[in-house]
Amino acid sequence: MQKVVFDKEFLWGCATASYQVEGAVEEHGRKPSIWDTFCEKPGAILNGNDGSVATDQYHRYKEDVSLMDELGFQAYRFSIAWPRIMPEGKGKVNEAGVSYYRNLCEELHAKGMKAVATLYHWDLPQILQDEGGWTNRETSYAFAAYAKVCYEQLGAYVDQWITLNEPFCSAYLGYLYGEHAPGHTNAREAFDAVHHLNLAHGLSVKEFRKIGLSTPIGITLNPIAPRPATRKPKDRKASELARAITTEVFLHPLMGKGYPSLVTETLKITFPVQANDMDIIAEPIDFIGLNYYNEGAVAYDEEEPFAYREVPVWQRTTDMNWPIVPYGLLRLLHYFDDETQGLPIYITENGCAANDVVEEGRVHDLMRCDYLNQHFAICKQAIDEGVKLKGYFVWSFLDNFEWAFGYSKRFGVVYVDYETQERIIKDSGYMMRDVISGYCEF
Ligand code: GCO
């Protein structure tokens, strides 16, 4: 019998997010989020797609949980839609929204799976964006109040909490580059959003501690740490600048180190910090989530706003045109291990988009199998090298709404026929079943 490569405590899960899978955007009291609004903006989303139906998981969650169980997943990382829980962003709680997530958690528990809930995976209630969204400090307090309601109403159902998913994307793609909702392109707004997202995280962790739940709470970052193009000091500096402005503006305040001087002094960027903010943001957490897909390379370029530019790389790419660089994950796992002084780490997203086709009822996504196996091997190497890696969640359980790319990109280990909503387990799903069972060596 093949040896089990990961120990029995290692948590194998799959991940999705509310706006990408639920659909039912006007059902049972849910009100519009910034993504409902953004999808209405002509040209914002490829093919004019939106999340109004998505994979209809709001109605099909029992079927999906059964599929997860069939593949042996031990946990499901989903996100709670703020506009379902508090449709006005604050104040009145929508009982129907709470019930949906209670039912989902109970279905998971009935199959012996853990419920891992992300409080915020980008679907900010539009009503709060109308008041400035993440550029408004008040949104941080509204988030903490929303989180408190979730802890009170779902604390007995959720096994692990994640405050924010990828604040980098919320702040930079949403307010600087305009690629994500709300689609703004204003640097001042982006840096205000960075701070208010950090503050929202800290305030929500303090609420969690006040309530006294014993389950773990953390945050998920997508650390962007491109390698230097060459060993020239300038290119190594470029790599440090890239990591500072994209990742350390979140990671360092979380760890009580304040904003990185490379950003505040070298790049001369300011943040709207008020008294006690940095202490609030540094409220201790129990684990950190790491989302990894790919790694780029950068060279110094003083003409660029952040003094670096991406350079061409040679690796094979996925359907997102993202280079496949497993070793980049090893670098980041050690970086997180060092920066957090050994906080438990979960890979809360890893996977790839592939041009999947159905052939005689099967999907032979062998590129995805290779991608995943290469990254599993990196996980094992990191653990052997002493990194406290405690789990892995594949992105994604099933094909879903890939933000600005609409439904054109498929990340699932389960295929979705969007015409019929039929689910088809891909070869990568069967491969994950074998890896999780321990009978498959990669
Ligand atoms: C992210 C988000 C996911 C994406 C996935 C593929 O990391 O960007 O968490 O919602 O769909 O990463 O891009």
Side-chain angles (χ1 to χ4, degrees):
M1 188 71 79
Q2 293 280 17
K3 69 181 184 300
V4 174
V5 180
F6 289 88
D7 69 28
K8 63 183 185 322
E9 281 76 43
F10 193 82
L11 189 65
W12 287 101
C14 54
T16 68
S18 44
Y19 191 75
Q20 295 181 270
V21 300
E22 287 179 0
V25 292
E26 294 179 348
E27 207 153 320
H28 296 161
R30 181 187 180 280
K31 288 267 177 77
S33 73
I34 56 177
W35 272 94
D36 299 278
T37 305
F38 191 58
C39 288
E40 290 170 359
K41 183 181 169 190
I45 312 296
L46 197 60
N47 305 325
N49 294 153
D50 63 35
S52 54
V53 176
T55 71
D56 194 31
Q57 192 171 85
Y58 187 78
H59 299 111
R60 298 167 187 266
Y61 69 91
K62 291 188 178 180
E63 172 194 356
D64 284 345
V65 171
S66 293
L67 276 178
M68 292 174 205
D69 180 47
E70 182 180 340
L71 297 180
F73 284 112
Q74 299 154 348
Y76 178 39
R77 176 190 173 223
F78 58 93
S79 78
I80 298 171
W82 190 343
R84 266 194 215 289
I85 302 295
M86 299 172 96
E88 308 296 331
K90 45 195 167 192
K92 190 172 176 328
V93 175
N94 174 30
E95 284 308 321
V98 172
S99 297
Y100 171 69
Y101 295 106
R102 280 194 184 138
N103 295 338
L104 173 60
C105 292
E106 286 181 335
E107 200 66 24
L108 290 165
H109 292 158
K111 303 286 188 190
M113 293 173 67
K114 287 184 184 292
V116 179
T118 304
L119 283 164
Y120 185 68
H121 202 127
W122 307 355
D123 40 2
L124 181 74
Q126 179 59 45
I127 202 163
L128 294 178
Q129 180 57 41
D130 295 342
E131 298 164 12
W134 290 111
T135 69
N136 180 352
R137 183 181 174 88
E138 287 309 307
T139 302
S140 306
Y141 293 92
F143 176 77
Y146 153 67
K148 183 169 183 275
V149 165
C150 290
Y151 303 148
E152 290 165 345
Q153 302 283 341
L154 297 166
Y157 298 80
V158 170
D159 301 293
Q160 192 164 340
W161 294 88
I162 295 168
T163 56
L164 305 175
N165 175 76
E166 301 191 357
F168 166 83
C169 292
S170 301
Y172 288 77
L173 301 190
Y175 290 94
L176 179 60
Y177 300 121
E179 295 167 20
H180 279 192
H184 294 189
T185 52
N186 179 311
R188 183 63 264 156
E189 285 192 355
F191 301 130
D192 290 351
V194 166
H195 184 67
H196 296 147
L197 283 154
N198 282 335
L199 182 61
H201 161 79
L203 289 167
S204 66
V205 176
K206 290 183 86 66
E207 284 298 339
F208 187 83
R209 299 302 182 209
K210 272 193 265 178
I211 286 199
L213 288 171
S214 58
T215 42
I217 189 166
I219 186 173
T220 277
L221 303 181
N222 55 317
I224 297 170
R227 59 186 182 278
T230 71
R231 289 197 171 280
K232 289 182 203 123
K234 274 195 165 187
D235 289 344
R236 287 159 66 176
K237 174 89 171 183
S239 172
E240 290 165 8
L241 282 167
R243 190 173 68 183
I245 189 69
T246 59
T247 302
E248 290 171 349
V249 292
F250 301 106
L251 184 59
H252 282 193
L254 279 174
M255 294 298 132
K257 297 163 70 173
Y259 286 107
S261 60
L262 270 180
V263 172
T264 57
E265 290 163 29
T266 306
L267 296 177
K268 307 228 181 302
I269 289 168
T270 61
F271 297 95
V273 179
Q274 294 189 20
N276 302 322
D277 283 2
M278 301 318 283
D279 288 342
I280 292 168
I281 295 168
E283 182 70 21
I285 51 179
D286 305 306
F287 67 90
I288 192 160
L290 189 166
N291 289 355
Y292 179 78
Y293 293 92
N294 58 299
E295 178 193 78
V298 293
Y300 184 79
D301 184 340
E302 61 190 8
E303 299 301 310
E304 288 297 313
F306 300 142
Y308 68 87
R309 62 180 163 79
E310 296 204 358
V311 296
V313 294
W314 53 274
Q315 288 87 351
R316 279 193 309 140
T317 56
T318 68
D319 202 34
M320 289 289 279
N321 202 26
W322 292 349
I324 301 173
V325 190
Y327 212 76
L329 176 57
L330 187 63
R331 277 190 270 274
L332 280 173
L333 283 166
H334 280 294
Y335 167 65
F336 261 34
D337 194 45
D338 296 342
E339 287 286 325
T340 65
Q341 282 120 45
L343 204 56
I345 302 171
Y346 288 84
I347 292 175
T348 37
E349 286 178 31
N350 175 246
C352 68
N355 183 19
D356 298 323
V357 290
V358 180
E359 297 165 304
E360 295 172 5
R362 295 288 300 271
V363 178
H364 301 302
D365 56 335
L366 295 181
M367 184 278 276
R368 182 177 288 106
C369 289
D370 288 343
Y371 176 100
L372 293 176
N373 276 308
Q374 291 173 54
H375 289 81
F376 297 158
I378 289 290
C379 292
K380 187 72 184 68
Q381 182 177 346
I383 292 169
D384 292 346
E385 293 173 358
V387 173
K388 262 200 222 158
L389 179 61
K390 295 299 178 188
Y392 174 101
F393 290 76
V394 66
W395 184 274
S396 178
F397 163 63
L398 78 179
D399 299 335
N400 59 60
F401 177 76
E402 179 50 34
W403 308 113
F405 290 91
Y407 297 99
S408 66
K409 304 298 178 187
R410 293 180 178 272
F411 276 85
V413 295
V414 172
Y415 183 93
V416 176
D417 177 331
Y418 293 113
E419 297 298 316
T420 64
Q421 289 295 349
E422 182 191 7
R423 275 74 164 140
I424 302 171
I425 298 173
K426 302 177 188 175
D427 286 2
S428 58
Y430 293 119
M431 182 275 293
M432 284 223 69
R433 181 198 61 196
D434 286 358
V435 169
I436 295 168
S437 68
Y439 296 133
C440 164
E441 183 147 343
F442 42 81

